[in-house]
Amino acid sequence: MQSRQTAQTGQTGQMGTGQTRQAIVNARLFDSASGLLRPHSTLVIEGERIVAVTQEPLHVDDAAVIDVGGRVVLPGLIDAHVHVVAASHDLVGLALQPASLIGAQSSHIMRGMLQRGFTTVRDVAGADFGLQEAVARGLYDGPRLFIACQPISQTGGHADMRPMGVSGGRSGGGMFCSCAGLGLVGAIADGVGEVRRAVREQVRNGANHIKIMAGGGVSSPTDPIDGTQFSIEELRAAVEEAEAANLYALAHAYSPRFHPHAGSTR
């Protein structure tokens, strides 16, 4: 791509002066409504908003012009299920890393997402407000990030990363520390009261949605993948607390046994 600080000459039509703009010209624009590519398109961007799209010649004052040479321009992609902190499939080992290292690794993962065309992602456990704010401030390159903070897990559930035989309380005697907010170690909660507290803690920490581990998985050390987790009352409490904060809850569950289980929470 080549950028110039003034709009091309010989074009008709004009937009008034104002803040610095970008004009993307000579694009094949993907029109999602029709499923067609629109050649010879111009897009005008002010700040974070597209303010004009046309296939007609257009002159834009004070514009940085990017001639994309007939390349395809399409809307930013959205991924509704990511874990930007999952730099390794070894989640127990990942949980033992310092938060500063996890953050640095996450920055590379998010940059890769953005370079593949994803401009918005929903992180469904692991990322915290710090990563979200780093992207928003431009400290890290990455897509717009919506976060769940810590997932809510029962003892021995899908986000309880303590290996079998480890004792010493819910942190494994200090084996895991999720106090920095990063990593896939869950907020362990048993009983309605603890579930409510755990959800409220994620809300306090800036969660945009609440993740509930409602069934087993392959990456946690002690829970069967086909099992269900949490009682109906506990699940209902989590949903109620999410709705009280004007958020919603989403659940991890592989087993078909979970679905009638979850239907009883409404």
Side-chain angles (χ1 to χ4, degrees):
M1 294 185 185
Q2 186 175 8
S3 175
R4 297 190 300 278
Q5 293 304 310
T6 58
Q8 291 178 324
T9 60
Q11 296 176 315
T12 61
Q14 184 166 323
M15 294 186 66
T17 59
Q19 70 181 75
T20 301
R21 300 178 176 90
Q22 287 182 317
I24 298 176
V25 302
N26 194 19
R28 286 189 294 154
L29 177 65
F30 175 67
D31 182 345
S32 59
S34 66
L36 300 175
L37 293 175
R38 304 292 185 185
H40 311 299
S41 292
T42 296
L43 295 83
V44 182
I45 303 170
E46 291 184 358
E48 296 183 348
R49 294 189 177 276
I50 298 172
V51 297
V53 177
T54 182
Q55 284 76 51
E56 301 297 326
L58 181 67
H59 177 81
V60 185
D61 290 337
D62 301 323
V65 175
I66 302 173
D67 188 336
V68 297
R71 292 178 176 85
V72 174
V73 175
L74 71 161
L77 301 175
I78 298 173
D79 194 331
H81 191 126
V82 304
H83 299 284
V84 301
V85 303
S88 168
H89 293 298
D90 177 9
L91 300 187
V92 174
L94 185 67
L96 295 172
Q97 293 184 7
S100 54
L101 179 57
I102 295 175
Q105 293 170 326
S106 299
S107 71
H108 289 276
I109 292 172
M110 292 188 292
R111 184 184 303 114
M113 290 175 173
L114 186 62
Q115 292 175 341
R116 290 189 294 273
F118 289 89
T119 56
T120 301
V121 298
R122 182 178 71 168
D123 189 277
V124 290
D128 69 348
F129 169 74
L131 283 181
Q132 187 182 53
E133 188 69 8
V135 172
R137 294 186 186 185
L139 302 175
Y140 287 160
D141 292 332
R144 182 182 295 108
L145 190 61
F146 292 88
I147 61 173
C149 300
Q150 287 181 280
I152 313 301
S153 174
Q154 69 176 37
T155 293
H158 183 48
D160 186 344
M161 295 301 170
R162 294 171 294 173
M164 198 174 296
V166 169
S167 59
R170 293 177 182 177
S171 65
M175 180 177 182
F176 300 115
C177 177
S178 58
C179 52
L182 289 176
L184 290 164
V185 175
I188 309 301
D190 298 299
V192 168
E194 289 190 4
V195 168
R196 290 189 185 278
R197 179 205 54 77
V199 172
R200 291 171 184 173
E201 188 69 12
Q202 307 322 305
V203 174
R204 184 188 70 81
N205 282 320
N208 303 115
H209 44 266
I210 299 300
K211 177 67 173 287
I212 306 165
M213 298 305 197
V218 297
S219 57
S220 39
T222 61
D223 55 325
I225 191 172
D226 58 349
T228 60
Q229 298 175 9
F230 285 123
S231 68
I232 297 297
E233 293 76 18
E234 289 169 319
L235 291 173
R236 184 178 293 117
V239 171
E240 288 176 353
E241 291 298 328
E243 290 182 341
N246 296 320
L247 305 180
Y248 64 91
L250 59 153
H252 162 96
Y254 285 123
S255 172
R257 293 169 54 198
F258 164 75
H259 300 292
H261 191 64
S264 302
T265 64
R266 304 303 297 174

